Amino acid sequence: MQSLKVLLLSAAVGCGTGLPAAASSSIWYESEGGKVRLVTSGKPDTAGRIHGVLDISLKPGWKTYWRDPGDAGVPPQIDISASTNIANATFSFPPPQRHDDGSGKWAGYDHPVSLPVTFTLSAPNEPAVIVADIFLGICETICIPVQTKLTIDPGSDPDNVEDAALVKAALATLPAPARPDFGVKILPGDRATLIVEASFPGNPKAADFFVAGERDYMFGVPARSEKDGKLVFTVPILDRPTTTPTDGGLYYTLTTAAGAVEGLLPFP
């Protein structure tokens, strides 16, 4: 988003600390473009995970970013190193939309959104306190990094019906796992392009493909074309690591009028 000026001075970064909430959710932290809080379902599941959401309430006209916001955005980040009995925290992302600010296109949300977060306990049968340093971008014509610390004691209110319902609703918005008849596959390309063929039900005009640059990969905006009746997305590789990784892959989301799926692509 090159037309959005990111305010990097410390005075422009919203900072705040949420005291431990006597509930399975934190207090709201308010910024110029909206407010954020953490909400959990309270009780851990049988695998020792606490499910929650980063609840982002945006004011009209403001936006926030997907996991890969483009070359000038701020992706959501969470640091739980100050927590008690929390080993890690992982975001999941609802299907994004493509936005055009006049000088560039990027992926994100122009409406209030709840990003699911999975907190994994270090010791499943022990109490936990979540202390989360949150960093994300909320943008209008100016992109303001929002930084705050949100704290929750999930065990203090483990049966909160409203919080559990919010987490359940957020999880229901996530893309389904990709499958052979609804997903993408890589076609032969070169070191400068990632080319995928999409399979899905419904109108091709409504389909879009989002791929997240990680492990030193950076991608441009996909170009659409048709090949043998199939929709093909050609994505410029703007930057790449010196050595292609051999483990993991690239997260992608395919959105259509019939719904959305997500999966992992081999590193090109």
Side-chain angles (χ1 to χ4, degrees):
M1 297 176 59
Q2 296 180 2
S3 69
L4 297 184
K5 297 180 180 179
V6 179
L7 303 183
L8 295 178
L9 296 178
S10 60
V13 180
C15 297
T17 301
L19 297 176
S24 45
S25 63
S26 75
I27 62 171
W28 285 100
Y29 172 71
E30 299 198 21
S31 70
E32 182 178 349
K35 55 186 181 179
V36 299
R37 64 172 177 162
L38 273 177
V39 179
T40 73
S41 56
K43 297 178 180 178
D45 62 17
T46 56
R49 300 170 301 187
I50 295 174
H51 297 281
V53 299
L54 178 62
D55 201 13
I56 305 171
S57 178
L58 296 171
K59 293 179 181 178
W62 289 75
K63 309 170 187 70
T64 193
Y65 296 102
W66 185 59
R67 65 166 78 238
D68 184 340
D71 61 357
V74 181
Q77 300 169 47
I78 184 169
D79 179 354
I80 46 79
S81 58
S83 299
T84 300
N85 196 30
I86 301 292
N88 59 58
T90 305
F91 278 121
S92 299
F93 291 84
Q97 298 83 41
R98 188 83 58 191
H99 297 278
D100 189 342
D101 64 14
S103 64
K105 295 181 179 180
W106 52 279
Y109 312 93
D110 60 1
H111 53 78
V113 62
S114 295
L115 304 181
V117 191
T118 301
F119 298 96
T120 303
L121 301 183
S122 301
N125 297 319
E126 299 295 326
V129 175
I130 298 169
V131 181
D133 285 302
I134 302 294
F135 188 79
L136 71 155
I138 295 180
C139 309
E140 192 186 33
T141 54
I142 294 174
C143 189
I144 301 176
V146 173
Q147 186 172 0
T148 184
K149 181 179 290 184
L150 302 174
T151 304
I152 301 174
D153 179 359
S156 65
D157 190 11
D159 299 308
N160 189 300
V161 175
E162 291 184 1
D163 288 350
L166 178 62
V167 173
K168 183 178 180 180
L171 291 171
T173 69
L174 295 179
R179 56 182 194 261
D181 63 336
F182 196 170
V184 304
K185 65 177 182 180
I186 290 185
L187 298 181
D190 53 41
R191 289 185 60 83
T193 54
L194 168 68
I195 305 174
V196 301
E197 178 184 281
S199 299
F200 55 90
N203 185 353
K205 293 182 180 179
D208 205 349
F209 172 69
F210 302 85
V211 60
E214 295 182 319
R215 308 281 288 276
D216 294 330
Y217 281 91
M218 181 180 294
F219 296 98
V221 179
R224 303 161 58 97
S225 61
E226 288 195 23
K227 179 180 180 181
D228 300 328
K230 292 284 190 178
L231 182 60
V232 173
F233 293 95
T234 301
V235 188
I237 301 176
L238 305 179
D239 199 3
R240 61 182 302 139
T242 304
T243 303
T244 302
T246 57
D247 61 310
L250 297 169
Y251 288 99
Y252 79 85
T253 299
L254 176 65
T255 62
T256 74
V261 296
E262 63 183 3
L264 277 179
L265 288 174
F267 292 107

